[in-house]
Amino acid sequence: MKGLPFRLEIIEGATEWIVRCSSECGEASIRVPPPYSEGELKTTLARVETSLTRSYSSKVTRGTAAPERSVREFGKRLTEVVIRDAISLQLDRCINRAKTQERPLRILVRTDGPHVGRIPWEYLVDPSRKDYLALRVPVVRDLRLMDPVPPLTLTLPLRVLGISARPSDLPPLEEKRERDRIAHALQRNSSDNVDVHWLPGDRWQDLAQALRSGPWHVLHCVCHGGFDEDLNSGYIQLSGEDGSAMRLHAGDFERLIAHSPHLRLVVLNACDSAVSGDEDVFTSTAASLLLAGVPAVVAMQYEITDDAALVFASSFYEGIADGLPVDRAVTRAREEVKMRQGSLEWATPVLFLASDQTRVFASADDPPQRPRTPPSRQDFTTDPIGLSKPTLEEQLPERIGVLAEAGPCSCLALGPANLLAAACEDGLIRVFAATDGELVAQCPPVQRENPVSLAWSPWRRHVASRHEDGAVVVWDLQTESPVCVISPGGQSDTLAFSGDGRWLALTVGNRLQVYDARGARVRDLQAWPVKKGGMLRTGENATPGPVTFTPGDRHVLVACGDNSVRQLNVHGQSVMTWPHHQAVLSVACTEDLVATGCLDGQVRFWSWQGRLLRRTGYGKPTRNLAFSPDLPVLAVADEEGTVTFRDLNSGKSSIAAKLVGQPAGAAFLENGTGFVTGTRTGVIERWALPDWIVDLGGAS
């Protein structure tokens, strides 16, 4: 039965957390103060770990309820901050829908920030029952990679490869009992359906040779583990040539399994294998394996006793053998540890997923999955669409005031929390508050050419700039210093963050490149074909236009040098093409529409199936397009500085602003508080919304 995912994202800012949720029941977003200061959080997490250790200690002391009480209070405090107001309402709706439709609910937690990633979110408390959420519904860590592998159509037997490390200089583990229990759990139905093979050796060479020897579906590791603060990397410990412990760091482990295309599940029965560095979740051993192409990894966020690890593993594999999705198998195993061990170790195992897909194996009888984006080229119509001129209302725009004068700039971009970033010709990136024009941050030049374009991360700490030489700098606005510098090897001004902030897209020549949060290039795709000899048709422009991610971040829209806009998937395949007669200068999209602004002064509205729905002529090249986040309204800024609002339902239009100079950016402010524009001379202005847009907001 199809599950009901509830996505919960916690983004850490300098003074507040941004909490977002989304599901088929709706979306919500709140801003809250963090429950602990940085110092308090460090002390509290140490206290939680101490309580966890005390919960399984054999030494009997008075007040044995103290460990449970302190951890429950910690979980309750987290819940009161994160699951409140609109977030709580959306969760209640999901819980009720899951009950009514008899569908399994799961909570997918994502974190972004140096401290929130180390919080044990499995201790969140169900507000309605005062019990831990993770003991009732699956609570998993959702890393949502760009191109997760699909479920494997399994041809039995299920092949499980196990390795148990026995270094001579480390305490021995109960690996023999764990071997027997896992084999029994998997083979109790039919030994013909499951093939469990435990390696006789425990060196990395033994593991590498076994992985190369044949298709394995599951890898189970029984070993010691940890996190190396100096190298900022997780590791597991196997045996070296002399029999003593040898660390296999996350990057080495990732490379080791990168060529195992049938591997769908890895279980790391190794302490601290879920622990990551402050700045990057992918430094953990578990998360690095997802980068290597494994869709599901179970790992440990604390030390775990042999007894608890044994109970968890045997119960987990019993669930897998029964055909449960991996998240529900983890929840069943957590409950088993809670009931049989009576300790807090049930929250030590963490499930990491590369997507919201929890079935890592598919039966050959399962129907094929339908693609998320169904448009096809045959839906495109070449029927002529009448060109209309916007009927402008004679309402004069009301300028609230000049917010700031940034000096000559090439680009202005509105980010979260109504922050405005300006790419200035003196090499600086200046960030202003769009409410009062206060200078919030100023990032100095880093010995490279001037910035020409900007892209915001979905949270207020990071903004990216692209420079005249094509280089990209991702800035930390809290420290006003670079997080990473990307040198793609070509000049262009295109730049776009994905909606979740995990990916950065740009163009070099006719190629689309995608980078991850660490600045590593993960995709290099041909955006459009170039004719032999480099000859262009009349009206073609070899320089690409803007790029943007589609809603949901599954695809990228790129305005190509052949005057088309293409929708590319992660393999570089063109899902849809929207042809134009002249260069496309601006692109914007919603879940229902794609809007393109051209050199010919026309704005075209397209369906995702490729149909041209409407054309509107504005006379001058359209440099900027911006959809309102709350209302069916599009803002159009032409080359001469006239900004127009258009009601997408009625076609009604009105002049929103008349700028003195060419526009550098235009955008709607959050919560319907107005509109902001910037010119290339650096004048940043705020404008009131016309009455008819205010009325639209009241009607909705």
Side-chain angles (χ1 to χ4, degrees), residues 147 234 247 288 353 521 546 552 673:
D147 188 22
R247 292 183 177 183
S288 69
L353 293 178
R521 190 166 67 193
T673 53

Side-chain angles (χ1 to χ4, degrees), residues 20-32:
R20 298 171 177 164
C21 73
S22 63
S23 70
E24 61 183 55
C25 298
E27 299 180 354
S29 176
I30 60 174
R31 296 173 182 269
V32 296

